[in-house]
Amino acid sequence: STQSTGGAHWTKQCPYKDTLGAALDVREEETNAAKPPPRAPGTYVPPAIRKGDSGQDGSSRQRDENPTIRVSNLAEETSDKDLQELFKPFGALSRIYLAKDKNTGISKGFAYITYNYRDAAENALKHLHRYRYGHLILQVEWAKPSGS
């Protein structure tokens, strides 16, 4: 009979399998719980558990759900590129949505700008509210949550 405690090679006849087997199983479960399960290449991995994403960027700032500002009083000829050039200097942009008429493609005069970080959105709001853009004065405010 084998008296080794180092591996999982217990046989039915081993007298130590019941006493040490449970301890090894618990230790193995704890080790496996710390590791994410293996994934096949090309499968979707939620952002919260992607490699290297601990939920924080290493500084005191954390990502917000959606620090989004609403800009209104835009000219009809305003494009996505114009908005990107105007808002990008304040921080990394996550999304730009320029409301356009479905038939004509002309701007409806407002847009939503989503930043990666709240402080960038706050900075843009502070600097661009009542900013003269073309022949109009921009109105910039925090976007209201959808459904309200």
Side-chain angles (χ1 to χ4, degrees):
S1 117
T2 305
Q3 291 187 2
S4 171
T5 60
H9 64 278
W10 308 107
T11 63
K12 289 182 182 180
Q13 293 81 23
C14 180
Y16 300 104
K17 72 176 179 177
D18 292 332
T19 58
L20 294 175
L24 291 174
D25 289 344
V26 169
R27 205 173 321 140
E28 189 174 311
E29 284 176 17
E30 289 172 354
T31 303
N32 289 341
K35 295 186 274 185
R39 299 191 185 281
T43 58
Y44 175 76
V45 179
I49 60 172
R50 290 183 183 156
K51 183 177 181 179
D53 186 7
S54 63
Q56 295 184 355
D57 65 355
S59 70
S60 61
R61 294 181 301 175
Q62 291 186 5
R63 256 179 211 263
D64 287 326
E65 279 293 314
N66 52 350
T68 301
I69 55 178
R70 182 181 193 271
V71 57
S72 55
N73 209 24
L74 293 168
E76 288 182 343
E77 52 279 349
T78 303
S79 70
D80 288 3
K81 186 178 182 212
D82 296 333
L83 291 173
Q84 187 164 3
E85 289 173 3
L86 184 62
F87 286 91
K88 188 151 179 125
F90 298 99
L93 298 172
S94 172
R95 180 174 181 249
I96 295 175
Y97 171 75
L98 175 61
K100 297 177 188 172
D101 183 278
K102 291 177 187 170
N103 299 324
T104 63
I106 296 174
S107 166
K108 289 185 175 183
F110 69 94
Y112 291 94
I113 313 294
T114 304
Y115 282 91
N116 289 339
Y117 298 101
R118 185 171 188 86
D119 58 345
E122 286 174 353
N123 202 16
L125 192 147
K126 185 171 83 177
H127 286 88
L128 295 177
H129 181 60
R130 298 200 173 138
Y131 177 78
R132 183 183 178 113
Y133 187 67
H135 61 281
L136 298 171
I137 306 296
L138 299 180
Q139 297 295 317
V140 183
E141 61 189 357
W142 287 109
K144 295 179 179 38
S146 56
S148 63

